[in-house]
Amino acid sequence: MCFLCFGSYFCYDTPGALADNFKGDSHLNTSQFALLYSIYSWPNVILCFIGGYLIDRYFGVRLGTIIYMTIVFIGAVVFAFGVYINQFWLMILGRFIFGIGGESLQVAVNNYVVLWFNGKELNMVFGLQLSFSRFGSTVNFWVMEPIYKWVATYYAGYEKLGVTLFIASLTCLGSLICGLILGWMDHRAEKMLNRQEAQAKDEPFRLIDIFNFKPVYWLVCVICVAYYLAIFPFIALGKMFFERKFDFMPQDANTVNSMVYLLSAALSPFFGILIDKTGRNVTWVILSIVTTIGSHFLLAFTFINPYVGVMSLGISYSLLASGLWPLIAMIVPENQLGTAYGISQAVQNMGLATVLILAGIIVDKYGYLMLEMFFLGCLFISLIAGVVIYIVDSANNGILNLSPSVREAYLNKSANRAEETANLLDHVDSSDQEEVDSRLTNQHSSQNAGIESSGDFPRDPAQAHSDRIRSRYISQLLPSTIPDRS
C-alpha cells in the first residue's frame, strides 16, 4: 500500500529535480516550466471528484487502484517521449494524462488505508503511507541529477533528458505491480472476513449526499487548498530559488530542496503515532500551520542558512498531513469516503493548477520575494480556517479534538444509548401498547377534543404510528402513575 504512490510522487517532481536541464536542453522559460506542474492539476479539478465517486459506486477500491496506476504509468511514458523528441505539446499531454491518474490514485490509496486500518492506528498508517510517497520525491531529487550525468555519456541534447525520464518512469511500473499484488491480497481478505456481505448492508452513495456534508468538512477542504499552495509550488520552483538567493550549486540546491520531502518521509509515521496517542487533531493542525508561517518568514526575509527554514517547513508539513487527512474519515460516513477524499483532492488541484501558473509569472516579473509574500497570504487563510474548525467543533462536543480515550468513550456511550432505545422499541408487547395508548389518550384528551371540535381532519396513519412508537419509549421511562400537577 505504501509503495502504490512511490512511483507517482517520484515522477511528479522529475521536472523540479532537472529544472536547469529543462531550461537548457528543451529551452523552456519559467512560465512554460511551471505549466508542466500546472497541467498536472487541471484535470483533477473535476476528475479527482469523479474518480472518488467511481470508486464508491462502480469500480471498488481494487479495480480503481489498478486503473488509475495504469494511467499514471502511461502518462509518465508519454511525457518522457515528448521530451525525447523535444515537442512541448506532447510533454503537456503526457503530464495531463499523468495527472488524470495521479490524484485519483491518491483517493484510492486513502480508501485502502481506511478500509484496512480504520481505528486507533489510522493516523499512524496515514503518516506511514505519506512517508513512503514523500520518500519517492526525496529519492527523485537525490538520483535524477546523477542519472542525467550518466545518460549524458551516451546521448546529447534533449535526447539525454528524455532517456533520463524514461528511466524514471520505471518507478511507476513498479508501483503498478504493487497495485496488482495488493488487489490480490485484498480480494483474499474479503473472502476470509466476509467483508463483502457487511458492505452490502450499507446504503449506496448518491451524488445528492454531497449536500449533506458537514460545514467542518468544507473548512478542511479550505486548508487542503490554502496550505498546500505554500508547499508544492515552493518545491517546484525551489531549486532556482536557492541557486539565486543563496548561490547554491545545482546539486546542493536539489539537496536542500529535497529536505522537505525527506523530513516528511522520516517523521510522518512518528507524528501519526503521536496523534494516535494524544488525539487533538485540530490543535496539531493549527500548530503546524503557525510553524509553516514562521518557516516562510525565515526563507523570505532573512539570509539564515536555508536548511533551518526548510527543515522547519518539512517538520510542520509532515505534522499537518498526519493530522489533517484522518479528520475526513471522522467527519464523513465510510460509504462516502471515496467521494469526500476526491472532492478535497479536486479543490486542492484547482488551487494548484491556477497558482502554479501564477507563481511562474510572479517570478518572471517580480522575483521570489513577492512569491514568498503570496505564500504567506495563503498560509494565513489556512490558519483562519483551522481556528474556525476549532470553534465550530468545540460548539459541537469537540469530537474532532478529543483525546482517543475520551472520543472512544463518547462514541460508545452514544452507540449504547441508541441501542437501548432500539431495544425498548422492539420489545414492547401488545398489552404495553394498549396501556400506553390509553394513557396517551387520557393525557391529551383535552387537546384532542379541541382538535375535533375545530373540525380539523384526523391525524394521518403514518403520524399516528410515529406517535405510538414514541409513546412506547416514554412508557418505559415514566412512572406508572402520573402525578397531579394541579
Side-chain angles (χ1 to χ4, degrees):
M1 189 183 300
C2 288
F3 277 106
L4 275 178
C5 288
F6 182 90
S8 173
Y9 276 74
F10 185 97
C11 289
Y12 174 81
D13 276 310
T14 48
L18 299 171
D20 294 331
N21 310 107
F22 270 92
K23 289 191 171 185
D25 295 340
S26 299
H27 306 291
L28 304 182
N29 58 35
T30 305
S31 297
Q32 289 176 314
F33 176 79
L35 187 59
L36 295 177
Y37 277 95
S38 177
I39 198 66
Y40 169 92
S41 299
W42 276 115
N44 292 299
V45 174
I46 300 297
L47 293 178
C48 226
F49 159 68
I50 296 176
Y53 175 72
L54 290 176
I55 289 174
D56 283 337
R57 189 74 178 182
Y58 299 107
F59 291 162
V61 67
R62 293 193 296 269
L63 179 60
T65 299
I66 294 171
I67 290 174
Y68 298 144
M69 191 63 240
T70 302
I71 295 173
V72 166
F73 176 59
I74 293 172
V77 172
V78 172
F79 175 61
F81 184 69
V83 174
Y84 183 77
I85 63 175
N86 199 29
Q87 293 294 319
F88 184 68
W89 69 268
L90 195 56
M91 301 180 205
I92 295 298
L93 177 62
R95 292 289 285 186
F96 184 85
I97 297 172
F98 184 79
I100 289 175
E103 295 301 303
S104 296
L105 175 66
Q106 185 63 58
V107 173
V109 173
N110 289 341
N111 268 35
Y112 256 133
V113 171
V114 175
L115 180 64
W116 279 70
F117 297 100
N118 195 9
K120 295 181 180 179
E121 63 277 286
L122 183 63
N123 293 284
M124 182 197 70
V125 178
F126 263 109
L128 191 63
Q129 185 270 324
L130 177 67
S131 172
F132 274 76
S133 300
R134 291 308 178 203
F135 187 65
S137 295
T138 304
V139 172
N140 166 72
F141 280 106
W142 286 348
V143 305
M144 289 309 292
E145 194 76 35
I147 291 176
Y148 176 83
K149 292 179 180 178
W150 175 75
V151 172
T153 60
Y154 302 96
Y155 295 88
Y158 48 77
E159 290 183 353
K160 62 185 176 185
L161 185 59
V163 172
T164 304
L165 294 175
F166 275 123
I167 295 174
S169 66
L170 294 177
T171 59
C172 292
L173 179 60
S175 292
L176 176 57
I177 294 172
C178 289
L180 294 170
I181 296 173
L182 181 59
W184 171 78
M185 293 172 62
D186 188 68
H187 178 69
R188 182 170 175 267
E190 184 177 79
K191 288 185 175 180
M192 293 174 63
L193 303 176
N194 295 321
R195 198 173 64 204
Q196 192 170 11
E197 295 179 6
Q199 291 174 345
K201 298 178 182 179
D202 294 337
E203 294 185 9
F205 174 71
R206 303 167 300 167
L207 282 176
I208 196 173
D209 292 338
I210 294 172
F211 298 102
N212 296 326
F213 285 176
K214 298 178 181 178
V216 173
Y217 167 77
W218 299 109
L219 289 170
V220 170
C221 289
V222 171
I223 297 179
C224 289
V225 177
Y227 183 86
Y228 282 90
L229 291 182
I231 301 295
F232 293 141
F234 173 79
I235 295 173
L237 302 174
K239 181 181 179 182
M240 293 179 285
F241 169 71
F242 295 119
E243 288 176 355
R244 292 201 169 79
K245 180 172 181 177
F246 298 98
D247 294 325
F248 279 15
M249 296 298 292
Q251 187 59 45
D252 295 331
N254 262 345
T255 301
V256 67
N257 202 29
S258 68
M259 290 301 296
V260 176
Y261 289 151
L262 176 62
L263 286 170
S264 176
L267 298 177
S268 290
F270 299 102
F271 282 140
I273 295 172
L274 173 66
I275 298 174
D276 277 329
K277 297 296 184 183
T278 64
R280 314 291 182 187
N281 289 60
V282 181
T283 300
W284 289 115
V285 167
I286 293 174
L287 178 62
S288 63
I289 295 172
V290 172
T291 309
T292 306
I293 291 174
S295 303
H296 274 285
F297 263 110
L298 285 177
L299 292 169
F301 301 112
T302 73
F303 282 88
I304 296 174
N305 192 314
Y307 276 94
V308 177
V310 171
M311 291 177 68
S312 174
L313 188 64
I315 292 171
S316 55
Y317 165 60
S318 56
L319 178 60
L320 178 127
S322 298
L324 181 68
W325 292 105
L327 281 177
I328 296 178
M330 301 179 195
I331 299 169
V332 179
E334 187 171 341
N335 68 318
Q336 302 172 8
L337 277 178
T339 304
Y341 278 116
I343 292 174
S344 61
Q345 298 280 117
V347 295
Q348 182 187 103
N349 279 278
M350 180 173 64
L352 290 173
T354 305
V355 168
L356 279 164
I357 296 176
L358 180 61
I361 296 173
I362 291 174
V363 170
D364 284 337
K365 291 188 175 182
Y366 304 106
Y368 283 96
L369 178 60
M370 189 60 66
L371 182 63
E372 282 288 348
M373 296 291 290
F374 176 77
F375 290 156
L376 288 168
C378 294
L379 288 170
F380 276 110
I381 293 174
S382 66
L383 178 61
I384 293 171
V387 172
V388 173
I389 290 176
Y390 183 87
I391 295 172
V392 172
D393 183 56
S394 299
N396 293 277
N397 299 318
I399 189 69
L400 301 180
N401 208 41
L402 295 176
S403 63
S405 58
V406 177
R407 182 186 295 142
E408 185 176 0
Y410 176 83
L411 294 176
N412 288 339
K413 183 178 179 181
S414 300
N416 290 337
R417 189 183 300 119
E419 184 178 353
E420 290 172 3
T421 302
N423 289 337
L424 286 171
L425 296 180
D426 290 340
H427 292 89
V428 175
D429 57 22
S430 59
S431 61
D432 292 334
Q433 176 60 44
E434 292 175 0
E435 179 184 351
V436 169
D437 287 345
S438 175
R439 186 182 306 169
L440 186 65
T441 302
N442 294 333
Q443 186 176 358
H444 298 290
S445 59
S446 60
Q447 296 178 3
N448 293 339
I451 293 174
E452 290 172 1
S453 63
S454 64
D456 289 345
F457 288 105
R459 202 176 293 232
D460 64 34
Q463 183 64 40
H465 180 64
S466 175
D467 287 340
R468 283 197 300 273
I469 292 176
R470 189 183 301 109
S471 66
R472 293 178 200 176
Y473 177 57
I474 294 173
S475 70
Q476 302 296 322
L477 302 178
L478 295 177
S480 59
T481 304
I482 300 176
D484 185 7
R485 296 183 182 275
S486 60

